[in-house]
Amino acid sequence: MHPKLRAEDLYPTMMPEPAPTLKQLLAFYLEAGVDCALSDEPVNRLAELEPVPAAPPREVAPLPRAQRDMPLAAPAVPRSEITVAPDAAIASAREAARTAPTLEALRTLLENFDGCALRHTATKLVFADGNPAARVMFVGEAPGRDEDIEGLPFVGRSGKLLDRMIAAIGLDRSKAYIANVIPWRPPGNRTPTPQETQVCLPFIQRQIELVNPDVLVTLGNPSTQALIGTREGIMRTRGKWVDYDTGTRVIRAIATFHPAYLLRSPSYKRMSWQDLRAIAKVLGQQSSPSS
Ligand code: URA
């Protein structure tokens, strides 16, 4: 070897990298969507795993750099989080939801339902808020951080805007019912997977049937696509009345922008106002004069 060259000059990646600082580690977690602690004590998920029979040795290709540099390997799914197979979970959700005679029974069913892994990472079930006897029901996508902590839908920033939207048509939470398609917060507010949506769908459908509102309002694309069954985007679906079959009767449904979207794109508040006026008209409510 050339006297001036050291091994680390030739093979820089072979040298151990310094351990990340706490700040770097937290920054990594934040980037990966981990923005809150689930409990005060760490849980060794690997210790909960059932012993897996040793696989025969095989050649393993080296990991790409991006994966090697991760401070933590993605943990295997612990035993407590292994849920029923996807199709079985959807079938059991349909069966369970169908049998719930009341909203309270439906809530209890969801609290004990093991077919959706989101319940293991969420802090609380976010079932609903408002008046189950209301004539109008609003349905969002999934709870966020604030909702997960309080166990109530739409209590964070977008919830405050939803309250103002509801107030604009002369109502408040005592005269409206609010729920989500997914009743558990997806970790780090990630988008729910199609599988998670399909598993949770029978429960929100049954919830709508039991509340039996005169008007159903879907907030944003995901809840509109899940409940109305359209593949079109919110720009096309919003503001148009469609029939929604609850299972016991056909009610009027309308899609409008999600309040979180309006917070990001306030210029769409104008269109949202048109939708709210249409809702107020059908409900026979007086809408406030300004947008
Ligand atoms: N966004 C939703 O879709 N639902 C909530 O409950 C909160 C934010």
Side-chain angles (χ1 to χ4, degrees):
M1 191 182 293
H2 190 282
K4 289 206 177 124
L5 275 182
R6 295 164 305 155
E8 57 265 41
D9 296 327
L10 286 175
Y11 309 111
T13 55
M14 287 176 65
M15 301 307 290
E17 289 184 11
T21 62
L22 189 58
K23 200 171 161 195
Q24 287 168 331
L25 205 53
L26 287 174
F28 168 80
Y29 285 141
L30 205 58
E31 227 171 83
V34 183
D35 61 358
C36 70
L38 295 176
S39 67
D40 292 338
E41 296 299 323
V43 178
N44 183 354
R45 302 283 187 190
L46 295 173
E48 293 176 8
L49 283 172
E50 285 204 328
V52 178
R58 62 187 175 92
E59 288 263 311
V60 179
L63 280 176
R65 182 175 167 84
Q67 288 182 33
R68 266 189 286 128
D69 289 349
M70 302 271 256
L72 283 179
V77 180
R79 179 86 193 119
S80 62
E81 288 176 20
I82 295 173
T83 42
V84 231
D87 288 349
I90 295 171
S92 94
R94 285 199 187 121
E95 188 53 34
R98 219 167 43 87
T99 61
T102 61
L103 287 169
E104 261 326 294
L106 190 66
R107 178 198 281 266
T108 308
L109 265 177
L110 268 170
E111 266 156 6
N112 298 308
F113 182 66
D114 215 13
C116 182
L118 290 178
R119 67 171 278 204
H120 298 289
T121 46
T123 313
K124 287 190 180 156
L125 171 75
V126 178
F127 185 69
D129 195 18
N131 186 347
R135 291 184 57 216
V136 58
M137 176 167 177
F138 294 85
V139 183
E141 181 185 18
R145 184 174 174 274
D146 298 313
E147 291 77 20
D148 180 62
I149 293 168
E150 289 203 28
L152 289 171
F154 285 99
V155 290
R157 265 188 83 218
S158 57
K160 301 279 173 283
L161 179 53
L162 179 62
D163 285 342
R164 292 210 300 277
M165 289 160 70
I166 294 175
I169 53 173
L171 304 174
D172 58 27
R173 288 194 186 218
S174 71
K175 297 189 193 100
Y177 187 83
I178 305 167
N180 282 305
V181 172
I182 310 264
W184 294 283
R185 181 200 185 194
N189 293 351
R190 66 160 169 75
T191 303
T193 65
Q195 161 70 23
E196 286 158 355
T197 302
Q198 285 310 307
V199 169
C200 295
L201 197 54
F203 293 103
I204 184 66
Q205 286 170 332
R206 181 68 176 151
Q207 206 169 346
I208 297 168
E209 184 182 355
L210 289 166
V211 173
N212 194 19
D214 292 334
V215 170
L216 172 68
V217 185
T218 53
L219 298 166
N221 230 351
S223 81
T224 303
Q225 292 189 340
L227 291 169
I228 310 292
T230 171
R231 303 190 74 173
E232 289 189 313
I234 194 70
M235 287 297 174
R236 281 179 173 274
T237 48
R238 62 147 282 273
K240 294 182 188 143
W241 289 103
V242 292
D243 285 345
Y244 177 89
D245 190 347
T246 68
T248 38
R249 90 171 157 125
V250 174
I251 61 170
R252 304 187 75 178
I254 191 168
T256 191
F257 296 110
H258 192 288
Y261 183 74
L262 294 175
L263 287 173
R264 289 195 303 274
S265 313
S267 57
Y268 290 109
K269 283 185 180 171
R270 207 182 153 81
M271 287 188 213
S272 153
W273 174 238
Q274 290 169 0
D275 302 342
L276 289 168
R277 282 221 316 236
I279 296 164
K281 196 168 166 201
V282 165
L283 290 171
Q285 281 292 133
Q286 194 75 41
S287 51
S288 65
S290 72
S291 54

